Amino acid sequence: MNTEDREDTIDKLTKLYLGLNMNKKERLSSQQTLKILEEIIKQKDTGVEKKKIVIGKYNDRVIYDFSTEKYNIKYLDLNSKQLSRLINNIKMWAWNAEHSNDDKTVLFLYDYMESKENDRDFRIIRDIIEDSNARFVDMNTGVDLIVS
Protein backbone atom coordinates (compact mmCIF):
# COMPACT_ATOMS: atom_id res chain seq x y z
CA MET A 1 0.00 0.00 0.00
CA ASN A 2 1.52 3.32 -1.01
CA THR A 3 1.45 6.50 1.07
CA GLU A 4 -1.53 7.99 -0.78
CA ASP A 5 -3.56 4.82 -0.23
CA ARG A 6 -2.68 4.84 3.48
CA GLU A 7 -3.62 8.50 3.85
CA ASP A 8 -6.87 7.93 1.96
CA THR A 9 -7.68 4.91 4.16
CA ILE A 10 -6.94 6.86 7.33
CA ASP A 11 -9.12 9.74 6.12
CA LYS A 12 -12.01 7.37 5.30
CA LEU A 13 -11.78 5.54 8.62
CA THR A 14 -11.58 8.82 10.52
CA LYS A 15 -14.73 10.04 8.83
CA LEU A 16 -16.46 6.72 9.40
CA TYR A 17 -15.61 6.43 13.10
CA LEU A 18 -15.60 10.11 14.04
CA GLY A 19 -18.09 11.42 11.50
CA LEU A 20 -20.63 12.64 13.99
CA ASN A 21 -17.97 14.82 15.61
CA MET A 22 -17.20 16.52 12.31
CA ASN A 23 -18.69 19.49 10.56
CA LYS A 24 -21.75 18.38 8.60
CA LYS A 25 -20.10 19.23 5.25
CA GLU A 26 -17.13 16.97 6.07
CA ARG A 27 -19.24 13.94 7.00
CA LEU A 28 -19.70 10.99 4.70
CA SER A 29 -22.88 10.56 2.72
CA SER A 30 -24.86 7.34 3.16
CA GLN A 31 -23.43 6.05 -0.12
CA GLN A 32 -19.85 6.84 0.91
CA THR A 33 -20.44 5.15 4.27
CA LEU A 34 -21.75 2.01 2.59
CA LYS A 35 -18.77 1.93 0.23
CA ILE A 36 -16.25 2.19 3.08
CA LEU A 37 -18.19 -0.36 5.10
CA GLU A 38 -18.01 -2.73 2.13
CA GLU A 39 -14.24 -2.26 1.90
CA ILE A 40 -13.84 -3.01 5.62
CA ILE A 41 -16.05 -6.07 5.48
CA LYS A 42 -14.30 -7.44 2.38
CA GLN A 43 -10.96 -7.30 4.17
CA LYS A 44 -12.34 -9.62 6.85
CA ASP A 45 -14.90 -11.69 4.94
CA THR A 46 -14.21 -12.36 1.27
CA GLY A 47 -17.65 -13.92 0.89
CA VAL A 48 -19.47 -10.66 1.54
CA GLU A 49 -22.47 -10.03 -0.69
CA LYS A 50 -23.69 -6.53 -1.48
CA LYS A 51 -27.42 -5.92 -1.89
CA LYS A 52 -28.15 -9.41 -0.60
CA ILE A 53 -31.63 -10.68 -1.39
CA VAL A 54 -33.17 -12.95 1.22
CA ILE A 55 -36.52 -14.61 0.55
CA GLY A 56 -38.98 -13.58 3.24
CA LYS A 57 -41.72 -15.50 4.98
CA TYR A 58 -44.22 -14.86 2.18
CA ASN A 59 -41.76 -15.54 -0.63
CA ASP A 60 -41.05 -11.82 -0.83
CA ARG A 61 -37.64 -10.29 -1.47
CA VAL A 62 -35.90 -8.60 1.46
CA ILE A 63 -32.80 -6.71 0.38
CA TYR A 64 -30.01 -6.11 2.89
CA ASP A 65 -27.11 -3.76 2.24
CA PHE A 66 -24.62 -6.56 2.95
CA SER A 67 -24.49 -10.17 3.98
CA THR A 68 -21.54 -11.88 5.64
CA GLU A 69 -21.02 -15.32 7.06
CA LYS A 70 -22.74 -14.29 10.32
CA TYR A 71 -24.90 -11.26 9.53
CA ASN A 72 -27.42 -9.74 7.18
CA ILE A 73 -26.68 -6.03 7.53
CA LYS A 74 -28.90 -2.99 7.08
CA TYR A 75 -27.42 0.49 7.43
CA LEU A 76 -29.64 3.22 8.90
CA ASP A 77 -28.65 6.85 8.57
CA LEU A 78 -30.77 8.48 11.26
CA ASN A 79 -29.27 11.96 10.97
CA SER A 80 -30.95 14.98 9.48
CA LYS A 81 -34.26 13.19 9.27
CA GLN A 82 -37.60 13.47 10.96
CA LEU A 83 -37.37 10.11 12.64
CA SER A 84 -41.11 9.96 13.30
CA ARG A 85 -41.55 9.46 9.55
CA LEU A 86 -39.28 6.39 9.62
CA ILE A 87 -41.06 4.49 12.38
CA ASN A 88 -43.42 2.52 10.11
CA ASN A 89 -40.50 1.59 7.84
CA ILE A 90 -38.54 0.46 10.91
CA LYS A 91 -41.51 -1.70 11.99
CA MET A 92 -41.37 -3.40 8.59
CA TRP A 93 -37.63 -4.07 8.94
CA ALA A 94 -38.08 -5.38 12.49
CA TRP A 95 -40.86 -7.71 11.33
CA ASN A 96 -38.66 -8.99 8.50
CA ALA A 97 -35.82 -9.59 10.95
CA GLU A 98 -38.07 -11.48 13.33
CA HIS A 99 -39.64 -13.64 10.61
CA SER A 100 -36.57 -14.23 8.48
CA ASN A 101 -36.09 -17.67 6.93
CA ASP A 102 -32.33 -17.07 7.08
CA ASP A 103 -30.26 -18.31 10.04
CA LYS A 104 -28.07 -15.21 10.07
CA THR A 105 -28.44 -12.47 12.66
CA VAL A 106 -29.86 -9.26 11.29
CA LEU A 107 -27.57 -6.40 12.24
CA PHE A 108 -28.83 -2.83 12.01
CA LEU A 109 -25.93 -0.38 11.94
CA TYR A 110 -26.97 3.18 12.62
CA ASP A 111 -25.51 6.65 12.51
CA TYR A 112 -27.27 9.05 14.84
CA MET A 113 -26.33 12.35 16.40
CA GLU A 114 -28.42 13.06 19.47
CA SER A 115 -30.88 15.90 19.17
CA LYS A 116 -33.66 16.95 21.51
CA GLU A 117 -36.24 16.95 18.72
CA ASN A 118 -35.47 13.36 17.65
CA ASP A 119 -34.38 11.57 20.84
CA ARG A 120 -37.88 10.29 21.67
CA ASP A 121 -38.33 8.86 18.17
CA PHE A 122 -34.83 7.37 18.24
CA ARG A 123 -35.73 5.49 21.44
CA ILE A 124 -38.92 4.23 19.76
CA ILE A 125 -36.90 3.00 16.76
CA ARG A 126 -34.34 1.34 19.04
CA ASP A 127 -37.09 -0.38 21.06
CA ILE A 128 -38.90 -1.65 17.96
CA ILE A 129 -35.75 -3.23 16.56
CA GLU A 130 -34.58 -4.61 19.89
CA ASP A 131 -37.98 -6.32 20.33
CA SER A 132 -37.27 -8.30 17.16
CA ASN A 133 -34.52 -10.89 16.77
CA ALA A 134 -32.14 -8.23 15.44
CA ARG A 135 -29.16 -6.35 16.84
CA PHE A 136 -29.28 -2.54 16.80
CA VAL A 137 -25.81 -1.05 17.20
CA ASP A 138 -24.00 2.15 16.36
CA MET A 139 -21.62 2.09 13.42
CA ASN A 140 -18.44 1.73 15.52
CA THR A 141 -19.78 -1.20 17.53
CA GLY A 142 -21.14 -2.81 14.37
CA VAL A 143 -17.86 -2.64 12.50
CA ASP A 144 -16.12 -4.16 15.52
CA LEU A 145 -18.68 -7.00 15.56
CA ILE A 146 -18.31 -7.67 11.86
CA VAL A 147 -14.53 -7.80 11.81
CA SER A 148 -14.09 -9.72 15.07
Side-chain angles (χ1 to χ4, degrees):
M1 179 182 296
N2 65 38
T3 305
E4 283 183 26
D5 288 342
R6 269 193 297 254
E7 288 176 11
D8 185 51
T9 299
I10 290 169
D11 183 54
K12 287 178 185 177
L13 292 174
T14 300
K15 288 180 179 180
L16 182 69
Y17 280 98
L18 304 175
L20 297 180
N21 298 325
M22 301 177 115
N23 180 319
K24 191 172 183 175
K25 290 181 181 181
E26 295 174 351
R27 291 184 203 151
L28 298 170
S29 69
S30 292
Q31 290 303 91
Q32 290 169 317
T33 299
L34 286 171
K35 186 173 184 202
I36 293 170
L37 188 57
E38 179 182 13
E39 290 172 16
I40 292 169
I41 295 170
K42 280 184 175 178
Q43 288 179 6
K44 177 65 178 176
D45 186 338
T46 56
V48 66
E49 293 181 61
K50 188 175 178 182
K51 298 292 181 190
K52 169 69 174 177
I53 298 172
V54 174
I55 302 302
K57 181 175 181 175
Y58 298 106
N59 219 21
D60 54 322
R61 295 166 26 125
V62 179
I63 304 172
Y64 293 96
D65 293 315
F66 303 103
S67 183
T68 67
E69 187 178 317
K70 295 181 187 177
Y71 302 106
N72 286 323
I73 302 165
K74 180 68 180 165
Y75 169 68
L76 302 172
D77 181 358
L78 302 177
N79 292 307
S80 304
K81 295 192 168 62
Q82 290 183 335
L83 296 184
S84 62
R85 293 183 178 187
L86 294 177
I87 290 174
N88 283 331
N89 192 21
I90 295 299
K91 287 178 185 177
M92 175 208 58
W93 275 107
W95 191 93
N96 283 332
E98 181 138 0
H99 295 90
S100 176
N101 293 329
D102 199 319
D103 291 335
K104 297 179 184 179
T105 299
V106 177
L107 184 63
F108 289 93
L109 303 181
Y110 68 85
D111 271 336
Y112 176 66
M113 181 181 291
E114 294 181 21
S115 69
K116 289 181 182 179
E117 71 182 45
N118 279 329
D119 281 349
R120 177 183 171 278
D121 293 326
F122 175 81
R123 287 190 303 276
I124 291 169
I125 289 169
R126 180 199 61 214
D127 292 346
I128 289 168
I129 292 174
E130 288 180 350
D131 280 348
S132 72
N133 292 331
R135 302 266 323 255
F136 183 67
V137 296
D138 63 79
M139 179 64 73
N140 296 349
T141 304
V143 169
D144 289 345
L145 277 173
I146 293 166
V147 299
S148 64

